Amino acid sequence: MELLAPAGGPEQLDYAIRYGADAVYLAADKFGMRAKATNFTFEQLKSAVQRAHAAGTKVHLTCNIAFHQHQLAELPAFLEQAEDVGVDALIIGDLGAFSLARKYAPRTEIHVSTQASVCNSEAAKMWHSLGAKRIVAAREMSLADLARMRQEMPSDLELEAFVHGAMCMAYSGRCLVSDFMTRDRSGIHGNCAQSCRWEFNITEPRRKDLYFPVKEDENGSYLLNAEDLCMLEHLTDLREAGIDSIKIEGRNKKAYYVACVVNAYRQVLDGARPEAFLRELDCVSHRPYSTGFYYGMAHQTSEQLTYLRNTDWAGQIISCQPLSDGRYQVEFRCRSKFALAGEFELLRPHNPVQPLQMSDLLHIPDSRYDIPQPRTPEDWEPAHREPYAVDEANHPGERYFAVISEPAEPFDIIRVLR
């Protein structure tokens, strides 16, 4: 099965590639369902495609909003540019956009977005007859229904399914709640305010200064608060059902999320026991996990809006030099504040997570906007203030030296347990 990872921006793209994604999906600066993600200009997209292809990773470009009439005029040029930069596939859910893609990007595969809510074989066959290469299944389907649809689909039509990340309370994301409640943030145009997850209460017209919880609970009530999807323990079931590509949700997520989640799914796909990597999925911010609709009805967490995470991204390795005593001196960029007395781990692609000892922490002053280049304390430029010893890294974005117990490579992740 293909492992398809989100790339909300250039950094997420690089970590998705490094930690084992077979393909990434991303958006340009318009027509994608995650308008708040960093996204890519077409100049950046050209470079992104080149970097991905050099690593053997495919690039799928989202063009999956519900198109209104006034948006169609810009679409032909967008599609032509997408084909020119060499994306491997366009993810489209709108029939009109699909038609234009066949005309203006004829050499590029089209994958039918989950926004099209394909949940039966006849719908899949119809999209195939129009030229679709892949169906991204509706997230409301059970595993049994997916398997049956796979059996009745054309053999050359691929099937993709979500395996991890946020779920939407609406049918495959076709929701008007955000648009209604915010007036200018439409979910079907990529700018959802997640209004379904707000705390709701009842007011009484004659006493507008008072509110009454919908449910008597000190945390309020969260009527439409879907749990997150996690299928790490069930990849064999998905493979046996005939799924060609498994998809991780999260184009609004940071690079740390991409690295941890992609690494876990990559390792299990390559034969590791899922139990050994479930903890990795708790390292990133998430709501309570469930298996979505695959084995029955999906669940809501109605008690409270809970985000769980048991680690922080402490540092991003820039360089590593061996020392004579068997330890290693690293330069790293601080990603979040931490104390040297903390408990650390080293996350590397295609390797088990390693407990990590850290000492000799030095802060490199005024380094936030320096050109990032590896160096050692001995060759620090005289024009700068020299590095100085600290017990805490409290300048995210700036660079530090430290001595660690394990070898590391550029872009490896140092994390600290909460």
Side-chain angles (χ1 to χ4, degrees):
M1 289 188 298
E2 174 188 81
L3 177 57
L4 179 57
E11 186 178 40
Q12 292 93 322
L13 170 71
D14 290 338
Y15 273 93
I17 294 170
R18 179 168 174 77
Y19 279 83
D22 298 306
V24 297
Y25 64 106
L26 45 75
D29 51 11
K30 62 181 70 172
F31 302 148
M33 284 292 292
R34 295 293 183 271
K36 294 297 184 182
T38 304
N39 295 324
F40 295 78
T41 66
F42 267 101
E43 189 62 34
Q44 292 173 321
L45 184 59
K46 182 178 181 180
S47 173
V49 170
Q50 291 171 347
R51 295 202 307 280
H53 285 177
T57 305
K58 293 184 177 181
V59 177
H60 304 170
L61 178 66
T62 62
C63 183
N64 55 348
I65 65 168
F67 281 86
H68 289 176
Q69 187 65 37
H70 71 276
Q71 294 170 309
L72 292 178
E74 295 182 85
L75 189 52
F78 177 94
L79 295 166
E80 289 174 340
Q81 284 182 288
E83 183 152 279
D84 286 345
V85 302
V87 300
D88 297 283
L90 291 160
I91 304 174
I92 294 176
D94 183 278
L95 187 58
F98 188 102
S99 176
L100 291 174
R102 290 291 77 212
K103 181 178 180 180
Y104 292 100
R107 298 184 302 277
T108 306
E109 289 184 4
I110 300 182
H111 297 176
V112 179
S113 171
T114 190
Q115 298 299 120
S117 298
V118 177
C119 52
N120 64 76
S121 57
E122 289 302 316
K125 291 175 187 176
M126 178 56 70
W127 282 108
H128 181 255
S129 72
L130 296 175
K133 174 66 175 177
R134 177 182 294 186
I135 299 297
V136 186
R139 283 182 276 186
E140 297 74 29
M141 294 187 70
S142 69
L143 189 65
D145 284 343
L146 276 169
R148 182 175 178 183
M149 185 169 78
R150 171 71 273 177
Q151 291 174 353
E152 298 180 7
M153 284 168 49
S155 59
D156 62 339
L157 180 60
E158 297 173 354
L159 185 58
E160 177 181 306
F162 279 91
V163 293
H164 194 89
M167 297 283 284
C168 181
M169 53 74 59
Y171 204 80
S172 282
R174 292 196 265 178
C175 179
L176 299 177
V177 173
S178 175
D179 204 12
F180 172 76
M181 298 190 73
T182 67
R183 302 301 181 189
D184 61 352
R185 293 190 60 177
S186 170
I188 60 174
H189 285 88
N191 202 16
C192 181
Q194 298 196 29
S195 308
C196 58
R197 300 189 188 276
W198 294 356
E199 178 184 353
F200 291 96
N201 300 284
I202 297 172
T203 61
E204 200 278 319
R206 288 171 293 183
R207 293 180 291 173
K208 294 182 178 180
D209 57 329
L210 298 178
Y211 72 90
F212 307 93
V214 175
K215 181 179 179 181
E216 293 292 337
D217 188 288
E218 67 273 13
N219 296 312
S221 182
Y222 298 86
L223 297 179
L224 307 173
N225 186 33
E227 293 182 348
D228 282 2
L229 176 65
C230 176
M231 287 290 287
L232 188 70
E233 296 179 281
H234 308 284
L235 299 188
T236 299
D237 288 353
L238 290 162
R239 184 181 284 110
E240 292 176 351
I243 303 302
D244 298 290
S245 177
I246 57 172
K247 187 172 196 172
I248 296 169
E249 186 275 338
R251 281 197 299 113
N252 276 337
K253 299 290 190 177
K254 303 300 183 183
Y256 182 57
Y257 170 94
V258 174
C260 293
V261 177
V262 170
N263 181 62
Y265 279 87
R266 177 77 274 157
Q267 301 264 15
V268 174
L269 280 174
D270 290 347
R273 293 173 55 252
E275 296 81 7
F277 285 91
L278 282 172
R279 175 186 173 275
E280 287 297 291
L281 303 179
D282 289 332
C283 290
V284 296
S285 180
H286 65 281
R287 305 173 192 92
Y289 287 129
S290 73
T291 55
F293 290 91
Y294 282 113
Y295 301 103
M297 292 299 294
H299 300 131
Q300 310 279 358
T301 299
S302 59
E303 294 81 12
Q304 58 185 334
L305 182 58
T306 302
Y307 289 90
L308 309 169
R309 185 178 73 202
N310 59 21
T311 66
D312 289 318
W313 188 1
Q316 174 185 12
I317 297 291
I318 297 173
S319 65
C320 179
Q321 301 292 331
L323 298 175
S324 59
D325 62 1
R327 297 183 299 167
Y328 301 84
Q329 184 183 74
V330 293
E331 182 180 0
F332 65 91
R333 182 160 72 100
C334 178
R335 301 303 300 246
S336 58
K337 296 180 180 180
F338 67 87
L340 191 58
E343 186 176 351
F344 301 95
E345 294 178 335
L346 181 66
L347 179 64
R348 303 181 61 192
H350 314 297
N351 284 276
V353 175
Q354 294 287 336
L356 191 69
Q357 302 298 317
M358 183 187 294
S359 63
D360 302 283
L361 186 63
L362 301 174
H363 177 221
I364 305 174
D366 305 321
S367 60
R368 179 184 292 273
Y369 301 106
D370 288 347
I371 298 172
Q373 61 182 37
R375 68 189 102 216
T376 65
E378 289 72 27
D379 63 11
W380 186 251
E381 296 92 330
H384 292 74
R385 288 185 292 146
E386 292 188 0
Y388 59 94
V390 292
D391 292 325
E392 295 182 349
N394 52 15
H395 296 280
E398 296 196 5
R399 295 203 301 279
Y400 290 78
F401 292 117
V403 173
I404 62 174
S405 57
E406 301 293 331
E409 296 180 1
F411 297 102
D412 286 352
I413 286 173
I414 299 171
R415 67 188 184 199
V416 59
L417 277 60
R418 286 188 158 197

